[in-house]
Amino acid sequence: MNQVVRRFNVLFMLIFFLFALLILRLTVLQLVDGELYAQAATNINKKVYTTPGQRGWIYDRNGVALAKNELVYSLSFLDEGFKKAQIEQIAINLEKIFQVYAEKDERYKAMNRVTIMEKLDAGYAYVPKTDDPTQRETLIKEAKDGTRFDPAEWELQDAPMMLYRHVPRKVAQDIPDTIMFQVQERMQDFPGIKVVVDARRVYPYGSLGAYIIGYTRDIPESKVEDYLPRGYTSFDRIGMTGVEASYEDVLHGLPGKTDVLMNNLTRRLETREVYPPSPGANIVLSIDAAYQHTVENILREEIKNLNTRPVNPLPNVKEAMAVVLNPYTGDVLAMAKVPGYDLNVFDAPDFSARYQTEVAGREQNVLVNGGYQPGSTFKMLTVMLALQDGLMRPDEKVLSTGGVKIGDRYLKDFKAGGHGWVDGKRALKESVNTYMYEVALRLARQAGPGNAYRTQFDHVREVAAQFGLGVLTGIDLNEEMVGYVTPDSSDFRQLGNLAQMMIGQYDGYTPMALAQYVSTIANGGYRVRPHLVYSVNEPEENSRTPGPPVYFVEGEVLGRVGIDARWIRYVQEGMREVTQPGGTAYAVFQGMNVPVAAKTGTVQRGTGQTNGVMVGYAPYDRPEIAFVVIVPGGSGGADSAGPIARRIVAAYFGDEPLLPLAGVPDEATRPENQP
Amino acid sequence: MQEEKSFSINWRAIDWWLIAIIFVLAVFSYLGIRGASPLYGEDTKQLIWYGLGIAVMLGVMFIPGRVYYMLAPILYGLSILLLIGVLIFAEPINGSKSWFILGPPSFRLQFQPSELAKLVTIFTVARFLTDRRRRIEDGDMQESFWGLWPVFILFALPMALIVVEPDLGTTLGMAVTLLAMLTVSVRPRYTLTVVGVYASGLLALIFLYFFFPQLFFKIIKEYQWRRITAFLDRSIDPSNPDQYQLYYSLQSIGSGEFWGRSVPEQELLTFNRRVPFAQTDFVFSVIGERFGFLGSALLIMLYFFLLYRMIRIAMQTTSTFAHSVIAGIVGMFTFQIYENIGMTIGIMPITGITLPFLSYGGSSLLINLFAVGVVLGFSVRKESV
């Protein structure tokens, strides 16, 4: 009997041991780590929703809205615990509705159940039935671009969810009213689908200021991760170019935060708004939309004129660009390139077709990142450098006989037979190359014997940089880049090239950099940062006006150039001479009410073509504007860029009427809403 | 005359503690199931089952052990037939053919033949061990390991039928039950031999896994393997379907801390059904979250006390049959309690084992209370076998 008791005791000890293990584990779980678990548990049931704030509007300096939001309808989906078959049915029902619009609106072409299921993101995905990898790929590709889709070739499988189940997914944005009505009338066919009011970015004046305003797009998939921590949702749009991009942080509304308490079945138990969404700030640009519009129109008309004029027509001229700055404040008054593109294209139903014909090849903002050699417009810098370095005396004259031999090259003046004895001012007035070559020779000599002159390239660049040439101007655009920098290899550092550099045939600069250079000359030597935004304003309820300003973007002096004021004055006078009788731009600005200082440039592009360049400022005695005009493929600067420059100045000073703004009709971007 | 006597009981010897424990467990069970916010009033139904079960338990108390001794072979045959029947006729629930569904849909009764088979196997094996002991004491046979072969056959048959359902948990439970019965009835080294056989079986599986994985996965189903790896994986990821249940179970029990989680009921994880099967297999998660360490430890102590009272009864009786039966029942409960609570707190892999007396489920509660009734019966009379 004792034996039985002993054996039961063994059993009892084992039980005791096992139960002690349970208690031990509970101690760790509930007493040691309990607090951590309790904290985590609170967050499991509480979900935070963010509601995006409205994006700020963009206005011109007079309060004309250039980028605004329009209310549109979107479809969102929330899985309320549906079964697989129900979700499939939702996708099929949506497919039916969308396919009716596939003809009218290319966005719906690819809206078959495969892509819809992807957007529903409910834990299922259609996969091709075939096992052949190449065939699979074609099927997926065809379904994605909407060229061909056959439901029989697909089967529904489980798939991981991209977003948490409780996060509503956007199924279709900006749907036509007809789809909206259909979905609302047949709600029972679309459980979980909701029609939500959403905002669409609209640019009422189409291509106006395309390179200033920029456009928005959905956050690229590769960048979503970067934006989510900053309060963006995956449906949000971000500025891609222009002010839309560079002032993204200002324009983007602050998301509202709502705590939602919910159980496992995605049923909401309680909703508590922590703080409401706040709209992004509005932006007022420094441009006057009417003036910008007029400048764009002048470019367009003058391109046409150059193409078709009876005398010396230039059919190769395809584009032209102009920048107008306030030389003291850095306000960008106009910044235009023609042809531009309609900013609404990116939201258009027929986006891909329109992109090909209207946008492709024009998207690059060459105004701030193209590289254009300045040609003779660089000569002010040459003269200032020569005077500052003591290479030339202000009254010293150089004999131009029509050309000069430098190294193994014979470099010519554009005037056959030469200009005779010229000083610096006259060298600017008549654009005398020989004077500049002489500066190059003296510069080389100053450096020392042999190849020592090569360091002078860097010296010239250093002085040019003080005027904004070859460096970033600091304009408030993300896409700004330094133009074209000739490589530093010894192949390019020939004596002949130093001479070329002195006549602006070496490095290439952006039109904006040239504008900063001219402004610096015009204002007496202060490099001012150009800016497109005039002020950032508090959002208002109806957005009819920009609202009270929060802060102004002031003109900022980036530096004072290391050139004596008298030498700046010297080239100012030279530039004034350019528009006087005998000057290269005399004919261009003849008879104008405002005194203009200017410089022409004709850039040899090596392809036999030339770029026409015209820079200048007005009025000469009290500059209000500095301007740069570049006509790629144009003839001489005075001939092709000149008429544009004249009209731009005239329009600014009221000698040419401003063109009234013409809005893009709403129907142009929304064909399916036409009656 | 003797028959009549065996049906009368010694009222003084009734283990009132054991009965009291059952009543407290009924309260725990009700609170646990209600805390899982069941959809079909399972909390109330469980109370009805408890009423019925306690009546059965008290009734069973009057049945002398002899009756099970005599009926054991017949019951064994019947339960084997039921186990075969369930494999042929049952509709799979959650992928395994373990249940007979009886009654109209409005009051559906799920009956699990393996629950019955467990108890009946205990009776049958106990009967064999009793006969064996008598013959050894009479000098009719020598005690030997190989003489135990009918025990192994009697266990192996239902275990084989249950493992193909598939219901690995119950099979393992029976293996443990066998060990418990052998511990009290045969020489320790025989028990250790069986332990050695189990261990070498485990080693053989490990060997197969590393060298013949194809064969290994023929024996161990893929989902079972995933459960084991999910259990072994220490970084618990709620988005992994195999770890989802464990994640939320740990969350809810852990967040109970010492006193139980003090938030509005609707914010409790188990109440809003984050933990699947919280009214059945994972009822301990509810207890852990609501009543904290205090309640959970109390419940575990209660179970310990229950087993202690049963072992005490075993120690006080002289019946070999009673010894074996109680050892079997204690082994069965111990395994279920340890495995079930262990899986909710992450020290055992997840299986479909319910928590005795707490999980919702009429037929298993009835059988468990029946078993307690049998043990109570042993305490109130001097057994003749």
Side-chain angles (χ1 to χ4, degrees):
Chain A
M1 202 62 261
N2 244 343
Q3 194 189 32
V4 169
V5 171
R6 203 170 59 240
R7 284 176 179 173
F8 266 106
N9 273 330
V10 171
L11 197 62
F12 189 67
M13 290 305 290
L14 284 172
I15 294 168
F16 180 81
F17 173 72
L18 289 177
F19 278 48
L21 272 183
L22 291 180
I23 296 281
L24 195 66
R25 170 69 180 146
L26 274 179
T27 315
V28 174
L29 193 61
Q30 295 185 303
L31 302 185
V32 179
D33 296 338
E35 207 177 322
L36 295 174
Y37 280 112
Q39 275 169 11
T42 319
N43 296 331
I44 285 173
N45 283 329
K46 201 180 279 173
K47 293 296 174 199
V48 179
Y49 271 92
T50 51
T51 3
Q54 206 206 123
R55 196 175 175 81
W57 290 28
I58 299 174
Y59 299 85
D60 88 337
R61 134 190 326 265
N62 300 321
V64 178
L66 301 180
K68 60 181 187 177
N69 302 322
E70 263 180 13
L71 293 183
V72 291
Y73 297 108
S74 292
L75 293 182
S76 81
F77 172 72
L78 183 67
D79 185 357
E80 293 168 359
F82 299 120
K83 295 202 172 70
K84 190 176 178 180
Q86 282 175 298
I87 294 200
E88 185 169 23
Q89 198 53 49
I90 296 169
I92 291 168
N93 291 345
L94 283 174
E95 181 189 72
K96 265 185 220 152
I97 289 196
F98 287 151
Q99 285 309 311
V100 177
Y101 288 87
E103 289 297 307
K104 281 191 198 167
D105 189 333
E106 67 166 29
R107 292 180 303 168
Y108 297 110
K109 227 190 252 169
M111 278 295 226
N112 46 50
R113 63 190 73 171
V114 176
T115 39
I116 294 169
M117 192 59 79
E118 209 175 283
K119 286 175 192 270
L120 295 180
D121 186 20
Y124 307 105
Y126 278 101
V127 281
K129 279 180 184 163
T130 169
D131 284 327
D132 178 20
T134 49
Q135 210 183 333
R136 264 175 107 89
E137 247 168 62
T138 14
L139 278 179
I140 291 169
K141 195 178 162 290
E142 285 172 341
K144 285 273 156 67
D145 58 26
T147 42
R148 198 181 69 86
F149 170 71
D150 178 6
E153 291 169 335
W154 299 77
E155 61 185 342
L156 197 56
Q157 286 188 2
D158 290 355
M161 270 190 258
M162 296 295 134
L163 298 167
Y164 289 115
R165 188 180 290 280
H166 67 273
V167 178
R169 287 93 163 108
K170 206 165 270 190
V171 181
Q173 270 172 292
D174 187 11
I175 51 167
D177 295 354
T178 30
I179 289 187
M180 189 266 289
F181 288 131
Q182 281 193 43
V183 171
Q184 279 199 327
E185 277 164 21
R186 295 165 46 206
M187 265 304 172
Q188 73 282 0
D189 290 347
F190 305 99
I193 296 279
K194 249 190 182 164
V195 174
V196 290
V197 178
D198 202 6
R200 178 172 76 98
R201 198 66 160 170
V202 173
Y203 304 96
Y205 301 105
S207 67
L208 177 78
Y211 299 99
I212 299 170
I213 300 165
Y215 57 87
T216 64
R217 298 212 78 174
D218 295 333
I219 303 176
E221 234 162 84
S222 56
K223 286 192 180 164
V224 170
E225 292 295 317
D226 305 343
Y227 280 91
L228 289 184
R230 291 162 58 189
Y232 286 73
T233 70
S234 48
F235 312 129
D236 276 359
R237 308 193 115 213
I238 50 165
M240 299 301 286
T241 63
V243 168
E244 290 268 35
S246 58
Y247 285 82
E248 173 64 33
D249 291 346
V250 170
L251 290 166
H252 180 251
L254 285 172
K257 194 173 145 193
T258 312
D259 279 348
V260 177
L261 209 62
M262 53 174 56
N263 66 17
N264 202 21
L265 303 174
T266 332
R267 302 259 188 273
R268 295 183 189 205
L269 302 171
E270 194 190 326
T271 308
R272 204 164 38 217
E273 193 174 58
V274 182
Y275 48 83
S278 69
N282 293 331
I283 272 180
V284 174
L285 297 177
S286 58
I287 63 161
D288 170 349
Y291 182 61
Q292 170 78 18
H293 181 48
T294 308
V295 169
E296 284 174 9
N297 189 55
I298 290 169
L299 293 173
R300 209 171 289 117
E301 281 180 10
E302 289 300 324
I303 291 172
K304 205 170 167 195
N305 181 36
L306 287 172
N307 290 342
T308 56
R309 63 185 178 185
V311 184
N312 186 21
L314 296 168
N316 286 331
V317 174
K318 296 268 176 356
E319 52 176 14
M321 55 202 93
V323 175
V324 184
L325 292 185
N326 178 323
Y328 288 99
T329 62
D331 286 3
V332 177
L333 302 171
M335 182 178 137
K337 174 181 163 279
V338 164
Y341 55 90
D342 185 346
L343 293 169
N344 295 307
V345 166
F346 295 90
D347 266 338
D350 47 353
F351 164 72
S352 50
R354 283 187 67 190
Y355 183 86
Q356 282 310 317
T357 55
E358 293 180 32
V359 185
R362 303 177 190 174
E363 236 186 308
Q364 195 196 341
N365 195 348
V366 290
L367 291 163
V368 292
N369 63 21
Y372 296 93
Q373 288 176 337
S376 301
T377 59
F378 191 77
K379 285 176 181 166
M380 285 80 86
L381 195 97
T382 309
V383 172
M384 284 187 286
L385 180 107
L387 294 171
Q388 185 69 30
D389 287 2
L391 302 173
M392 291 278 184
R393 279 173 284 109
D395 53 352
E396 187 174 348
K397 289 195 166 79
V398 170
L399 180 63
S400 157
T401 57
V404 68
K405 196 165 172 5
I406 292 178
D408 54 352
R409 266 184 269 184
Y410 186 71
L411 300 170
K412 283 191 288 185
D413 271 326
F414 76 88
K415 188 174 170 185
H419 302 263
W421 288 96
V422 296
D423 63 2
K425 279 185 204 171
R426 204 172 143 205
L428 290 176
K429 178 181 187 175
E430 296 178 16
S431 204
V432 181
N433 286 352
T434 305
Y435 184 90
M436 308 300 153
Y437 300 148
E438 183 59 31
V439 173
L441 287 172
R442 294 185 186 185
L443 201 55
R445 214 174 295 137
Q446 184 196 41
N451 287 337
Y453 69 86
R454 285 188 180 157
T455 57
Q456 295 292 37
F457 285 89
D458 297 323
H459 173 57
V460 177
R461 277 182 184 163
E462 191 192 311
V463 177
Q466 295 174 15
F467 288 83
L469 295 176
V471 289
L472 294 178
T473 64
I475 189 170
D476 41 4
L477 286 179
N478 294 346
E479 53 261 44
E480 192 190 15
M481 293 197 290
V482 176
Y484 170 75
V485 182
T486 307
D488 289 341
S489 77
S490 57
D491 290 352
F492 293 97
R493 297 213 162 173
Q494 303 291 332
L495 189 55
N497 281 339
L498 191 60
Q500 296 285 13
M501 194 181 202
M502 294 295 101
I503 59 163
Q505 295 272 96
Y506 195 66
D507 286 340
Y509 308 115
T510 66
M512 186 54 67
L514 283 172
Q516 193 175 42
Y517 157 68
V518 178
S519 294
T520 309
I521 294 172
N523 67 28
Y526 297 93
R527 185 158 84 97
V528 179
R529 188 174 74 84
H531 56 95
L532 286 162
V533 172
Y534 173 76
S535 66
V536 171
N537 297 40
E538 218 167 89
E540 286 216 318
E541 193 67 37
N542 53 22
S543 299
R544 247 178 232 126
T545 61
V550 183
Y551 61 87
F552 291 94
V553 178
E554 305 277 347
E556 184 189 351
V557 175
L558 298 172
R560 170 75 170 90
V561 297
I563 304 283
D564 289 1
R566 51 188 169 143
W567 309 139
I568 295 173
R569 185 83 200 146
Y570 187 90
V571 294
Q572 283 176 349
E573 282 164 8
M575 285 176 78
R576 175 68 181 137
E577 286 291 306
V578 173
T579 63
Q580 298 306 308
T584 52
Y586 170 62
V588 173
F589 295 103
Q590 192 181 12
M592 286 202 73
N593 287 332
V594 276
V596 181
K599 182 73 193 80
T600 55
T602 306
V603 183
Q604 311 294 327
R605 288 208 307 194
T607 53
Q609 282 193 333
T610 55
N611 287 353
V613 185
M614 174 75 85
V615 303
Y617 58 91
Y620 166 69
D621 43 348
R622 199 173 48 82
E624 285 177 39
I625 61 167
F627 58 85
V628 171
V629 179
I630 299 180
V631 183
S635 52
D639 180 45
S640 57
I644 297 173
R646 181 191 170 102
R647 289 185 63 187
I648 286 174
V649 175
Y652 186 84
F653 291 102
D655 289 341
E656 177 175 329
L658 293 186
L659 204 64
L661 286 172
V664 178
D666 186 40
E667 294 77 40
T669 59
R670 284 278 151 305
E672 79 273 20
N673 280 352
Q674 281 176 27
Chain B
M1 174 98 172
Q2 203 168 7
E3 287 288 298
E4 224 172 280
K5 204 177 177 185
S6 65
F7 276 94
S8 66
I9 63 170
N10 176 5
W11 289 95
R12 286 196 173 176
I14 290 182
D15 195 331
W16 294 108
W17 277 115
L18 196 47
I19 295 170
I21 291 167
I22 295 299
F23 275 94
V24 181
L25 285 174
V27 174
F28 264 107
S29 178
Y30 174 74
L31 293 175
I33 294 167
R34 206 196 58 178
S37 63
L39 291 169
Y40 307 108
E42 282 94 330
D43 44 351
T44 324
K45 284 189 195 167
Q46 180 81 344
L47 281 187
I48 296 169
W49 282 114
Y50 250 108
L52 202 62
I54 288 173
V56 167
M57 177 181 80
L58 295 175
V60 163
M61 204 165 71
F62 292 90
I63 301 173
R66 259 192 89 74
V67 177
Y68 314 117
Y69 177 86
M70 289 187 302
L71 293 178
I74 303 163
L75 289 172
Y76 186 82
L78 187 72
S79 66
I80 294 296
L81 283 178
L82 283 173
L83 282 176
I84 294 169
V86 83
L87 285 178
I88 299 169
F89 300 110
E91 289 294 316
I93 298 176
N94 297 335
S96 62
K97 292 181 171 184
S98 307
W99 288 271
F100 280 123
I101 295 171
L102 311 167
S106 57
F107 196 83
R108 215 172 60 152
L109 180 63
Q110 292 183 8
F111 169 65
Q112 207 172 347
S114 59
E115 295 275 358
L116 181 67
K118 278 190 292 192
L119 197 59
V120 169
T121 308
I122 291 171
F123 289 150
T124 319
V125 171
R127 177 187 161 124
F128 173 82
L129 291 169
T130 310
D131 293 350
R132 177 177 169 275
R133 166 81 26 219
R134 188 178 297 142
R135 277 155 69 194
I136 290 166
E137 280 169 4
D138 294 352
D140 289 349
M141 73 178 266
Q142 284 291 321
E143 188 161 9
S144 76
F145 182 75
W146 296 114
L148 290 171
W149 67 266
V151 174
F152 302 134
I153 297 293
L154 286 172
F155 263 100
L157 190 60
M159 279 167 73
L161 289 168
I162 293 168
V163 81
V164 295
E165 281 178 356
D167 184 351
L168 193 61
T170 305
T171 317
L172 289 174
M174 288 187 74
V176 172
T177 308
L178 168 63
L179 275 187
M181 293 182 78
L182 292 179
T183 306
V184 298
S185 307
V186 302
R187 288 183 178 165
R189 67 164 182 273
Y190 298 168
T191 314
L192 288 175
T193 311
V194 176
V195 172
V197 171
Y198 287 175
S200 40
L202 195 64
L203 284 174
L205 273 179
I206 293 171
F207 174 80
L208 282 181
Y209 173 73
F210 282 108
F211 298 101
F212 301 97
Q214 279 171 322
L215 205 59
F216 175 82
F217 283 106
K218 279 223 173 76
I219 300 167
I220 302 292
K221 301 275 183 311
E222 195 251 343
Y223 80 92
Q224 294 169 334
W225 179 242
R226 276 194 285 123
R227 277 186 184 174
I228 293 168
T229 50
F231 160 69
L232 292 175
D233 184 1
R234 285 290 94 185
S235 57
I236 294 160
D237 170 16
S239 61
N240 177 351
D242 292 313
Q243 291 182 329
Y244 172 86
Q245 213 168 357
L246 177 60
Y247 174 84
Y248 281 112
S249 178
L250 290 178
Q251 272 297 344
S252 51
I253 296 172
S255 64
E257 299 185 80
F258 187 79
W259 295 103
R261 202 161 162 230
S262 57
V263 292
E265 188 173 55
Q266 58 171 8
E267 284 185 39
L268 289 175
L269 298 177
T270 46
F271 185 78
N272 59 45
R273 305 197 193 100
R274 291 251 167 219
V275 183
F277 300 107
Q279 72 268 44
T280 57
D281 294 5
F282 279 75
V283 72
F284 188 76
S285 310
V286 183
I287 304 293
E289 186 178 26
R290 292 207 167 221
F291 308 114
F293 181 76
L294 202 64
S296 322
L298 183 69
L299 178 64
I300 291 172
M301 302 270 275
L302 214 55
Y303 277 126
F304 187 67
F305 198 41
L306 176 92
L307 296 170
Y308 164 73
R309 294 308 298 189
M310 287 184 173
I311 288 174
R312 216 178 96 98
I313 290 169
M315 285 173 169
Q316 280 168 356
T317 165
T318 51
S319 156
T320 311
F321 183 71
H323 291 156
S324 298
V325 168
I326 293 177
I329 290 171
V330 165
M332 180 176 89
F333 282 157
T334 306
F335 173 79
Q336 288 193 25
I337 294 162
Y338 182 73
E339 160 60 27
N340 180 281
I341 296 181
M343 79 181 183
T344 61
I345 58 182
I347 57 175
M348 291 295 282
I350 292 176
T351 57
I353 294 281
T354 55
L355 187 56
F357 307 107
L358 250 74
S359 292
Y360 174 72
S363 68
S364 79
L365 182 64
L366 276 184
I367 298 225
N368 289 337
L369 288 172
F370 184 93
V372 176
V374 171
V375 178
L376 278 172
F378 288 136
S379 75
V380 294
R381 78 177 65 75
K382 195 170 159 54
E383 290 296 337
S384 53
V385 288

